[in-house]
Coordinates of all heavy atoms in Angstrom, one line a residue:
M1 N 102.3 100.3 123.6 CA 102.5 99.0 123.0 C 101.4 98.0 123.1 O 100.9 97.8 124.2 CB 103.8 98.4 123.6 CG 104.4 97.2 122.8 SD 105.3 96.1 123.9 CE 106.5 97.1 124.8
S2 N 101.0 97.4 121.9 CA 99.9 96.5 122.0 C 100.4 95.0 122.3 O 101.6 94.8 122.1 CB 99.0 96.4 120.8 OG 99.7 96.8 119.7
K3 N 99.6 94.2 122.8 CA 100.0 92.8 123.2 C 100.0 91.9 122.0 O 99.2 92.1 121.1 CB 99.0 92.2 124.2 CG 99.4 92.6 125.6 CD 98.6 91.7 126.7 CE 97.4 91.0 126.1 NZ 96.6 90.4 127.2
T4 N 100.9 90.9 122.0 CA 100.9 90.0 120.9 C 99.6 89.1 121.0 O 99.1 88.8 122.0 CB 102.1 89.1 120.9 OG1 102.2 88.4 122.2 CG2 103.4 89.9 120.7
L5 N 99.2 88.6 119.8 CA 98.0 87.8 119.7 C 98.3 86.4 120.2 O 99.4 85.9 119.9 CB 97.5 87.8 118.3 CG 97.0 89.1 117.7 CD1 96.5 88.8 116.2 CD2 95.8 89.7 118.5
S6 N 97.3 85.8 120.8 CA 97.5 84.3 121.2 C 97.4 83.5 119.9 O 97.0 84.0 118.8 CB 96.3 83.9 122.1 OG 95.1 84.0 121.3
D7 N 97.9 82.3 119.9 CA 97.8 81.4 118.7 C 96.4 81.3 118.2 O 96.2 81.4 117.0 CB 98.4 80.0 119.1 CG 99.9 80.0 119.1 OD1 100.5 81.0 118.7 OD2 100.4 79.1 119.6
T8 N 95.5 81.2 119.1 CA 94.1 81.0 118.7 C 93.6 82.3 118.0 O 93.0 82.2 116.9 CB 93.2 80.8 119.9 OG1 93.8 79.8 120.7 CG2 91.8 80.4 119.5
D9 N 93.8 83.4 118.6 CA 93.4 84.7 118.0 C 94.1 84.9 116.6 O 93.5 85.5 115.7 CB 93.7 85.9 118.9 CG 92.7 85.9 120.1 OD1 91.7 85.1 120.0 OD2 93.0 86.6 121.0
L10 N 95.4 84.6 116.5 CA 96.1 84.7 115.2 C 95.5 83.8 114.2 O 95.3 84.2 113.0 CB 97.6 84.4 115.5 CG 98.5 84.6 114.2 CD1 98.3 86.0 113.6 CD2 99.9 84.4 114.6
T11 N 95.2 82.6 114.5 CA 94.6 81.6 113.5 C 93.3 82.2 113.1 O 93.0 82.2 111.9 CB 94.4 80.3 114.2 OG1 95.7 79.8 114.7 CG2 93.9 79.3 113.2
T12 N 92.5 82.7 113.9 CA 91.1 83.3 113.6 C 91.4 84.5 112.7 O 90.7 84.6 111.7 CB 90.4 83.7 114.9 OG1 90.3 82.6 115.7 CG2 89.0 84.2 114.6
A13 N 92.3 85.4 113.0 CA 92.5 86.5 112.2 C 93.0 86.2 110.8 O 92.6 86.7 109.8 CB 93.5 87.5 112.9
L14 N 93.9 85.2 110.7 CA 94.5 84.8 109.5 C 93.4 84.1 108.6 O 93.5 84.2 107.3 CB 95.7 83.8 109.7 CG 96.9 84.5 110.2 CD1 98.0 83.4 110.5 CD2 97.5 85.5 109.2
A15 N 92.4 83.5 109.1 CA 91.4 82.8 108.3 C 90.6 83.9 107.5 O 90.1 83.5 106.5 CB 90.4 82.1 109.3
D16 N 90.7 85.1 107.9 CA 90.0 86.2 107.3 C 90.9 87.1 106.4 O 90.4 88.0 105.8 CB 89.5 87.1 108.5 CG 88.0 87.5 108.2 OD1 87.3 86.8 107.6 OD2 87.6 88.6 108.8
L17 N 92.1 86.7 106.3 CA 93.1 87.5 105.6 C 93.6 86.8 104.4 O 94.6 86.0 104.5 CB 94.3 87.9 106.5 CG 94.1 89.2 107.3 CD1 95.4 89.3 108.3 CD2 94.0 90.4 106.5
T18 N 93.1 87.0 103.2 CA 93.5 86.3 102.0 C 95.1 86.4 101.8 O 95.6 87.5 101.8 CB 92.8 86.9 100.8 OG1 91.4 86.7 101.1 CG2 93.2 86.1 99.5
G19 N 95.7 85.3 101.7 CA 97.1 85.3 101.2 C 98.2 85.3 102.3 O 99.3 85.1 102.1
W20 N 97.7 85.6 103.6 CA 98.7 85.8 104.6 C 98.8 84.6 105.5 O 97.8 83.8 105.7 CB 98.2 87.0 105.6 CG 98.3 88.3 104.9 CD1 97.3 88.9 104.1 CD2 99.4 89.2 104.9 NE1 97.8 90.1 103.7 CE2 99.0 90.4 104.2 CE3 100.7 89.2 105.5 CZ2 99.8 91.5 104.0 CZ3 101.5 90.3 105.4 CH2 101.1 91.4 104.5
A21 N 100.0 84.3 105.9 CA 100.3 83.1 106.7 C 101.3 83.5 107.8 O 102.0 84.4 107.7 CB 101.0 82.0 105.9
Q22 N 101.2 82.7 108.9 CA 102.2 83.0 110.0 C 103.6 82.5 109.5 O 103.8 81.5 108.8 CB 101.8 82.2 111.2 CG 102.7 82.6 112.4 CD 102.2 81.8 113.7 OE1 101.3 81.0 113.7 NE2 102.9 82.1 114.8
D23 N 104.6 83.3 109.9 CA 106.0 83.0 109.7 C 106.8 83.3 110.9 O 107.3 84.5 111.1 CB 106.5 83.8 108.4 CG 107.9 83.5 108.0 OD1 108.5 82.5 108.6 OD2 108.5 84.2 107.2
G24 N 106.9 82.4 111.8 CA 107.5 82.7 113.1 C 106.8 83.8 113.9 O 105.5 83.7 114.1
R25 N 107.5 84.8 114.2 CA 106.8 85.9 115.0 C 106.2 87.0 114.1 O 106.0 88.1 114.5 CB 107.9 86.6 115.9 CG 108.3 85.7 117.0 CD 109.4 86.3 117.9 NE 109.9 85.4 118.9 CZ 109.4 85.3 120.1 NH1 108.4 86.1 120.5 NH2 109.9 84.5 121.0
A26 N 106.0 86.7 112.8 CA 105.5 87.6 111.8 C 104.4 87.0 111.0 O 104.1 85.8 111.1 CB 106.6 88.1 110.9
I27 N 103.7 87.8 110.2 CA 102.8 87.3 109.2 C 103.4 87.7 107.9 O 104.1 88.8 107.8 CB 101.3 87.7 109.3 CG1 101.2 89.2 109.4 CG2 100.7 87.0 110.5 CD1 99.7 89.7 109.4
H28 N 103.2 86.9 106.9 CA 103.9 87.1 105.6 C 102.9 86.9 104.4 O 102.0 86.1 104.4 CB 105.0 86.1 105.5 CG 105.7 86.0 104.1 ND1 105.3 85.2 103.1 CD2 106.7 86.8 103.6 CE1 106.1 85.5 102.0 NE2 106.9 86.4 102.3
R29 N 103.1 87.7 103.3 CA 102.4 87.5 102.1 C 103.3 87.8 100.9 O 104.1 88.8 101.0 CB 101.1 88.3 102.0 CG 100.4 88.0 100.7 CD 99.0 88.6 100.6 NE 98.4 88.3 99.3 CZ 97.2 88.6 98.9 NH1 96.4 89.3 99.7 NH2 96.8 88.4 97.6
S30 N 103.3 87.0 99.9 CA 104.0 87.3 98.6 C 103.0 87.9 97.7 O 101.9 87.4 97.5 CB 104.5 86.0 98.0 OG 105.4 85.4 98.9
F31 N 103.5 88.9 96.9 CA 102.7 89.6 95.9 C 103.4 89.5 94.6 O 104.6 89.7 94.5 CB 102.4 91.1 96.3 CG 101.6 91.2 97.5 CD1 102.3 91.3 98.8 CD2 100.2 91.3 97.5 CE1 101.6 91.5 99.9 CE2 99.5 91.4 98.7 CZ 100.2 91.5 99.9
K32 N 102.7 89.2 93.5 CA 103.3 89.3 92.2 C 102.4 90.2 91.3 O 101.2 90.0 91.2 CB 103.3 87.8 91.6 CG 104.1 87.8 90.3 CD 104.1 86.3 89.8 CE 104.8 86.3 88.4 NZ 104.6 85.0 87.8
F33 N 103.1 91.1 90.6 CA 102.4 92.0 89.7 C 102.8 91.8 88.3 O 103.7 91.0 88.0 CB 102.8 93.4 90.2 CG 102.3 93.7 91.6 CD1 103.1 93.4 92.7 CD2 101.0 94.1 91.9 CE1 102.7 93.6 94.0 CE2 100.6 94.4 93.2 CZ 101.5 94.1 94.2
A34 N 102.2 92.5 87.4 CA 102.4 92.4 85.9 C 103.9 92.8 85.6 O 104.5 92.2 84.8 CB 101.4 93.3 85.2
D35 N 104.3 93.8 86.3 CA 105.7 94.4 86.0 C 106.2 95.2 87.1 O 105.5 95.3 88.2 CB 105.7 95.2 84.7 CG 104.6 96.3 84.7 OD1 104.1 96.6 85.8 OD2 104.1 96.7 83.7
F36 N 107.4 95.8 87.0 CA 108.0 96.6 88.1 C 107.1 97.8 88.4 O 106.9 98.1 89.6 CB 109.4 97.0 87.7 CG 110.1 97.9 88.7 CD1 110.5 97.3 90.0 CD2 110.3 99.3 88.5 CE1 111.1 98.1 90.9 CE2 110.9 100.0 89.5 CZ 111.3 99.5 90.7
P37 N 106.7 98.6 87.4 CA 105.9 99.8 87.8 C 104.6 99.5 88.7 O 104.3 100.2 89.6 CB 105.5 100.4 86.5 CG 106.5 100.0 85.5 CD 106.9 98.6 86.0
A38 N 104.0 98.3 88.4 CA 102.8 97.9 89.1 C 103.3 97.5 90.6 O 102.6 97.9 91.6 CB 102.1 96.7 88.5
A39 N 104.4 96.9 90.7 CA 104.8 96.5 92.1 C 105.3 97.7 92.8 O 104.9 97.9 94.0 CB 106.1 95.5 91.9
W40 N 105.9 98.7 92.2 CA 106.4 99.9 92.8 C 105.2 100.8 93.2 O 105.2 101.4 94.3 CB 107.4 100.6 91.9 CG 108.1 101.7 92.6 CD1 107.9 103.0 92.6 CD2 109.1 101.5 93.6 NE1 108.8 103.7 93.4 CE2 109.5 102.8 94.1 CE3 109.8 100.4 94.1 CZ2 110.5 103.0 95.1 CZ3 110.7 100.6 95.1 CH2 111.1 101.9 95.5
G41 N 104.2 100.8 92.4 CA 103.0 101.6 92.7 C 102.3 101.1 93.9 O 101.9 101.8 94.8
F42 N 102.3 99.7 94.0 CA 101.7 99.1 95.2 C 102.5 99.4 96.5 O 102.0 99.8 97.5 CB 101.7 97.6 95.0 CG 101.4 96.7 96.2 CD1 100.2 96.6 96.7 CD2 102.5 96.0 96.8 CE1 100.0 95.8 97.8 CE2 102.2 95.3 97.9 CZ 101.0 95.2 98.5
M43 N 103.8 99.4 96.3 CA 104.7 99.7 97.5 C 104.6 101.1 97.9 O 104.6 101.4 99.1 CB 106.2 99.3 97.1 CG 106.4 97.9 97.0 SD 108.1 97.5 96.5 CE 108.9 97.5 98.2
T44 N 104.4 102.0 96.9 CA 104.2 103.4 97.3 C 102.9 103.6 98.1 O 102.9 104.3 99.1 CB 104.2 104.3 95.9 OG1 105.4 104.0 95.2 CG2 104.0 105.7 96.3
R45 N 101.8 103.0 97.6 CA 100.6 103.1 98.4 C 100.7 102.6 99.8 O 100.2 103.2 100.8 CB 99.4 102.4 97.6 CG 99.0 103.0 96.3 CD 97.8 102.6 95.8 NE 97.7 101.1 95.5 CZ 98.2 100.6 94.4 NH1 98.8 101.2 93.5 NH2 98.1 99.2 94.2
V46 N 101.4 101.4 99.9 CA 101.6 100.8 101.2 C 102.5 101.6 102.1 O 102.2 101.8 103.3 CB 102.1 99.3 101.1 CG1 102.4 98.8 102.4 CG2 101.1 98.5 100.4
A47 N 103.5 102.2 101.5 CA 104.5 103.0 102.3 C 103.7 104.2 102.9 O 103.9 104.6 104.1 CB 105.6 103.5 101.4
L48 N 102.8 104.8 102.1 CA 102.1 106.0 102.7 C 101.1 105.6 103.8 O 101.0 106.3 104.8 CB 101.3 106.7 101.5 CG 102.2 107.3 100.4 CD1 101.4 107.9 99.3 CD2 103.0 108.5 101.1
M49 N 100.4 104.5 103.6 CA 99.5 104.0 104.7 C 100.2 103.6 105.9 O 99.8 103.8 107.0 CB 98.5 103.0 104.1 CG 99.1 101.7 103.7 SD 97.8 100.5 103.2 CE 97.0 101.3 101.8
A50 N 101.5 103.0 105.7 CA 102.3 102.5 106.8 C 102.8 103.8 107.7 O 102.7 103.7 108.9 CB 103.4 101.7 106.4
E51 N 103.2 104.8 106.9 CA 103.7 105.9 107.6 C 102.5 106.6 108.4 O 102.8 107.0 109.5 CB 104.3 106.9 106.6 CG 104.9 108.1 107.2 CD 106.0 107.9 108.1 OE1 106.6 106.7 108.2 OE2 106.4 108.8 108.9
K52 N 101.4 106.7 107.8 CA 100.2 107.2 108.5 C 99.9 106.5 109.7 O 99.5 107.1 110.8 CB 99.0 107.2 107.5 CG 97.9 108.2 107.8 CD 97.0 108.3 106.6 CE 95.7 109.1 107.0 NZ 94.7 109.0 106.0
A53 N 100.0 105.2 109.6 CA 99.6 104.3 110.9 C 100.8 104.2 111.8 O 100.7 103.6 112.9 CB 99.3 102.9 110.4
D54 N 102.0 104.8 111.5 CA 103.2 104.6 112.2 C 103.5 103.1 112.5 O 103.9 102.7 113.6 CB 103.2 105.4 113.5 CG 104.5 105.5 114.2 OD1 105.6 105.4 113.5 OD2 104.6 105.6 115.4
H55 N 103.3 102.3 111.5 CA 103.5 100.9 111.6 C 104.0 100.4 110.2 O 103.3 100.6 109.2 CB 102.3 100.2 112.0 CG 102.5 98.8 112.5 ND1 103.2 98.6 113.7 CD2 102.2 97.5 112.1 CE1 103.3 97.3 114.0 NE2 102.7 96.7 113.0
H56 N 105.3 99.9 110.2 CA 106.0 99.7 108.9 C 106.2 98.3 108.6 O 106.7 97.5 109.5 CB 107.2 100.5 108.9 CG 107.0 102.0 109.2 ND1 106.9 102.5 110.5 CD2 106.8 103.0 108.4 CE1 106.7 103.8 110.5 NE2 106.6 104.2 109.2
P57 N 106.2 97.9 107.3 CA 106.5 96.5 107.0 C 108.0 96.2 106.9 O 108.7 97.2 106.6 CB 105.8 96.4 105.5 CG 105.8 97.8 105.0 CD 105.7 98.7 106.2
D58 N 108.3 95.0 107.0 CA 109.6 94.5 106.6 C 109.4 93.8 105.3 O 108.7 92.9 105.2 CB 110.1 93.4 107.6 CG 110.3 94.0 109.1 OD1 110.5 95.2 109.2 OD2 110.1 93.2 110.0
W59 N 110.0 94.4 104.2 CA 109.7 93.9 102.9 C 110.9 94.0 102.0 O 111.9 94.6 102.2 CB 108.5 94.7 102.4 CG 108.6 96.2 102.3 CD1 109.7 96.9 102.6 CD2 107.6 97.1 101.8 NE1 109.4 98.3 102.4 CE2 108.1 98.4 101.9 CE3 106.3 96.9 101.3 CZ2 107.4 99.5 101.6 CZ3 105.6 98.0 101.0 CH2 106.1 99.3 101.1
S60 N 110.7 93.3 100.8 CA 111.7 93.4 99.8 C 111.0 93.3 98.4 O 109.8 92.8 98.3 CB 112.7 92.2 99.9 OG 112.0 91.0 99.7
N61 N 111.6 93.8 97.4 CA 111.1 93.8 96.1 C 112.1 93.3 95.1 O 113.3 93.6 95.2 CB 110.7 95.3 95.7 CG 110.7 95.5 94.2 OD1 111.4 96.3 93.6 ND2 109.7 94.9 93.6
S62 N 111.7 92.5 94.1 CA 112.5 92.0 93.1 C 111.7 92.0 91.8 O 110.7 91.3 91.7 CB 113.0 90.6 93.3 OG 113.8 90.1 92.2
Y63 N 111.9 93.0 90.9 CA 111.2 93.3 89.7 C 109.7 93.3 90.0 O 109.2 94.3 90.5 CB 111.5 92.2 88.6 CG 110.8 92.5 87.3 CD1 110.7 93.8 86.7 CD2 110.0 91.5 86.7 CE1 110.1 94.0 85.6 CE2 109.3 91.7 85.5 CZ 109.3 93.0 85.0 OH 108.6 93.3 83.9
N64 N 108.9 92.3 89.7 CA 107.5 92.3 89.9 C 106.9 91.7 91.1 O 105.8 91.5 91.3 CB 106.7 91.7 88.6 CG 107.0 90.3 88.4 OD1 108.0 89.8 89.0 ND2 106.2 89.5 87.7
R65 N 107.9 91.3 92.0 CA 107.5 90.6 93.2 C 107.8 91.4 94.4 O 108.8 92.1 94.5 CB 108.3 89.3 93.3 CG 107.9 88.3 92.3 CD 108.8 87.0 92.4 NE 108.5 86.0 91.3 CZ 107.5 85.2 91.4 NH1 106.7 85.0 92.4 NH2 107.2 84.4 90.4
V66 N 106.9 91.3 95.4 CA 107.0 92.0 96.6 C 106.8 91.1 97.7 O 105.7 90.4 97.8 CB 106.1 93.3 96.8 CG1 106.3 94.0 98.1 CG2 106.3 94.2 95.6
E67 N 107.7 90.9 98.7 CA 107.6 90.1 99.9 C 107.3 91.0 101.1 O 108.1 91.9 101.3 CB 108.8 89.2 100.1 CG 109.3 88.3 98.9 CD 108.3 87.2 98.7 OE1 107.7 86.7 99.7 OE2 108.2 86.8 97.6
V68 N 106.2 90.7 101.8 CA 105.9 91.6 102.9 C 105.8 90.8 104.2 O 105.0 89.7 104.2 CB 104.5 92.3 102.7 CG1 104.3 93.3 103.8 CG2 104.6 93.1 101.4
A69 N 106.5 91.1 105.2 CA 106.3 90.6 106.5 C 105.9 91.6 107.5 O 106.4 92.8 107.4 CB 107.7 89.9 107.0
L70 N 104.9 91.3 108.3 CA 104.5 92.3 109.3 C 104.7 91.7 110.7 O 104.3 90.6 111.0 CB 103.0 92.6 109.1 CG 102.6 93.2 107.7 CD1 101.1 93.3 107.7 CD2 103.3 94.5 107.6
T71 N 105.3 92.5 111.6 CA 105.4 92.1 113.0 C 105.5 93.4 113.8 O 105.8 94.5 113.2 CB 106.7 91.2 113.2 OG1 106.7 90.8 114.5 CG2 108.0 92.0 112.9
S72 N 105.2 93.4 115.0 CA 105.3 94.6 115.9 C 106.6 94.4 116.6 O 106.8 93.7 117.6 CB 104.1 94.6 116.9 OG 102.9 94.8 116.1
H73 N 107.6 95.2 116.2 CA 109.0 95.1 116.8 C 108.9 95.4 118.3 O 109.6 94.6 119.1 CB 109.9 96.0 116.1 CG 110.0 95.7 114.7 ND1 109.7 96.7 113.7 CD2 110.4 94.7 114.0 CE1 109.9 96.2 112.5 NE2 110.3 94.9 112.6
D74 N 108.2 96.3 118.7 CA 108.1 96.7 120.1 C 107.5 95.6 121.0 O 108.0 95.4 122.1 CB 107.4 98.1 120.3 CG 106.0 98.1 119.8 OD1 105.6 97.1 119.2 OD2 105.3 99.1 120.0
A75 N 106.6 94.9 120.4 CA 105.9 93.8 121.2 C 106.5 92.4 121.0 O 106.3 91.5 121.8 CB 104.4 93.7 120.8
G76 N 107.4 92.3 120.0 CA 108.1 91.1 119.8 C 107.2 90.0 119.1 O 107.4 88.8 119.3
G77 N 106.2 90.4 118.3 CA 105.4 89.4 117.7 C 104.2 90.1 117.0 O 104.3 91.3 116.7
V78 N 103.2 89.3 116.6 CA 102.1 89.8 115.8 C 101.0 90.4 116.8 O 100.6 89.7 117.8 CB 101.5 88.7 115.0 CG1 100.3 89.2 114.2 CG2 102.5 88.1 114.0
T79 N 100.6 91.6 116.5 CA 99.6 92.3 117.3 C 98.5 92.7 116.3 O 98.6 92.5 115.1 CB 100.1 93.5 118.0 OG1 100.5 94.5 117.0 CG2 101.4 93.3 118.8
E80 N 97.4 93.3 116.9 CA 96.3 93.8 116.2 C 96.8 94.8 115.1 O 96.2 94.9 114.1 CB 95.2 94.4 117.1 CG 94.4 93.4 117.8 CD 93.5 92.6 117.0 OE1 93.4 92.8 115.7 OE2 92.9 91.6 117.5
R81 N 97.8 95.5 115.4 CA 98.3 96.5 114.5 C 98.8 95.9 113.1 O 98.6 96.4 112.1 CB 99.5 97.3 115.1 CG 99.1 98.1 116.3 CD 100.3 98.9 116.8 NE 100.5 100.1 116.1 CZ 101.5 100.9 116.2 NH1 102.5 100.5 116.9 NH2 101.6 102.0 115.4
D82 N 99.4 94.7 113.2 CA 99.7 94.0 112.0 C 98.6 93.5 111.2 O 98.6 93.6 110.0 CB 100.7 92.8 112.4 CG 101.9 93.2 113.2 OD1 102.7 94.0 112.5 OD2 102.1 92.9 114.4
I83 N 97.6 93.0 112.0 CA 96.4 92.5 111.3 C 95.7 93.7 110.6 O 95.2 93.5 109.4 CB 95.4 91.9 112.3 CG1 96.1 90.7 113.1 CG2 94.1 91.4 111.7 CD1 96.6 89.5 112.2
A84 N 95.6 94.8 111.3 CA 94.9 96.0 110.7 C 95.7 96.4 109.4 O 95.1 96.8 108.3 CB 95.0 97.1 111.7
L85 N 97.1 96.4 109.4 CA 97.9 96.8 108.3 C 97.7 95.8 107.1 O 97.6 96.2 106.0 CB 99.3 97.1 108.7 CG 100.2 97.6 107.5 CD1 99.7 98.9 106.9 CD2 101.7 97.8 108.0
A86 N 97.7 94.5 107.5 CA 97.5 93.5 106.5 C 96.2 93.7 105.7 O 96.1 93.5 104.5 CB 97.6 92.1 107.1
K87 N 95.1 94.0 106.5 CA 93.8 94.3 105.8 C 93.9 95.5 104.9 O 93.4 95.4 103.8 CB 92.7 94.6 106.9 CG 92.3 93.3 107.6 CD 91.2 93.6 108.7 CE 90.8 92.4 109.4 NZ 90.1 92.6 110.7
K88 N 94.6 96.5 105.3 CA 94.7 97.7 104.4 C 95.6 97.3 103.2 O 95.3 97.8 102.1 CB 95.4 98.8 105.2 CG 94.4 99.6 106.2 CD 95.1 100.7 106.8 CE 94.3 101.3 108.0 NZ 95.1 102.0 108.9
I89 N 96.6 96.6 103.4 CA 97.4 96.2 102.2 C 96.6 95.4 101.3 O 96.6 95.6 100.0 CB 98.6 95.4 102.7 CG1 99.6 96.3 103.5 CG2 99.4 94.7 101.6 CD1 100.8 95.6 104.1
N90 N 95.8 94.4 101.8 CA 94.9 93.7 100.9 C 94.0 94.6 100.1 O 93.7 94.4 98.9 CB 94.2 92.6 101.6 CG 95.0 91.3 101.9 OD1 96.2 91.3 101.6 ND2 94.4 90.3 102.4
A91 N 93.5 95.6 100.8 CA 92.5 96.5 100.1 C 93.3 97.4 99.1 O 92.7 97.7 98.1 CB 91.9 97.4 101.2
A92 N 94.6 97.6 99.4 CA 95.4 98.4 98.4 C 95.6 97.7 97.1 O 95.9 98.3 96.1 CB 96.7 98.8 99.1
L93 N 95.4 96.4 97.2 CA 95.6 95.6 95.9 C 94.5 96.0 94.9 O 94.7 95.9 93.7 CB 95.5 94.1 96.3 CG 96.7 93.3 96.6 CD1 96.3 91.9 96.8 CD2 97.8 93.5 95.6
E94 N 93.4 96.3 95.4 CA 92.3 96.6 94.6 C 92.2 98.1 94.1 O 91.3 98.4 93.3 CB 90.9 96.3 95.3 CG 90.6 94.8 95.2 CD 90.4 94.1 96.5 OE1 89.7 94.6 97.3 OE2 91.0 93.1 96.7
S95 N 93.1 98.9 94.6 CA 93.0 100.4 94.3 C 94.0 100.7 93.2 O 94.8 99.9 92.7 CB 93.3 101.2 95.5 OG 94.5 100.9 96.1
Ligands
H2B101 C1 109.5 105.3 116.9 C2 108.4 104.6 116.2 O1 107.1 105.0 116.6 C3 108.5 103.1 116.3 O2 109.8 102.7 115.9 C4 107.4 102.4 115.5 C5 107.6 102.7 114.0 N1 107.1 101.6 113.2 C6 107.0 100.3 113.6 N2 106.7 99.3 112.8 C7 106.6 98.1 113.3 N3 106.3 97.1 112.4 N4 106.8 97.8 114.5 C8 107.1 98.7 115.4 O3 107.3 98.4 116.6 C9 107.2 100.0 115.0 N5 107.5 101.0 115.8

């Protein structure tokens, strides 16, 4: 289990992560796509990378919108694993 980030480290990490903000013990980003297939395609890519990393988002989908929250359940807050997945998710937007 990795350790939760300090407030300072989290602020520094978020400054580098387009679209993500702290939401309690998680980080959150809203995504909006052209339509449902685009949103679902994005979720499929993220699901595969999450499974590979054994680190999974808390998320929801409504038509062309996807809400994603990342937290490390085992650690009880935001860890480097969440920051790493957020970076990959942002990169998946471009693929
Ligand atoms: C058993 C399994 O490795 C754990 O439940 C993993 C799976 N995915 C996970 N995802 C997230 N976000 N937090 C976890 O603590 C976590 N734990």
Side-chain angles (χ1 to χ4, degrees):
M1 190 205 310
S2 33
K3 270 194 347 189
T4 56
L5 296 179
S6 66
D7 282 348
T8 313
D9 286 347
L10 182 54
T11 304
T12 305
L14 286 174
D16 225 26
L17 269 178
T18 304
W20 292 86
Q22 186 176 4
D23 182 10
R25 292 176 183 268
I27 55 174
H28 172 268
R29 183 171 175 180
S30 302
F31 297 90
K32 189 179 174 191
F33 297 90
D35 51 22
F36 177 72
W40 192 255
F42 167 76
M43 292 180 83
T44 303
R45 295 195 297 280
V46 172
L48 293 174
M49 63 176 64
E51 184 59 17
K52 200 168 173 187
D54 192 28
H55 199 67
H56 303 86
D58 298 334
W59 57 1
S60 65
N61 161 243
S62 178
Y63 182 51
N64 63 340
R65 293 177 184 275
V66 182
E67 303 291 331
V68 183
L70 300 176
T71 188
S72 297
H73 302 119
D74 55 357
V78 179
T79 68
E80 286 292 352
R81 299 182 80 192
D82 300 298
I83 302 301
L85 185 54
K87 281 183 186 161
K88 284 185 190 157
I89 290 174
N90 279 5
L93 270 184
E94 275 124 51
S95 56

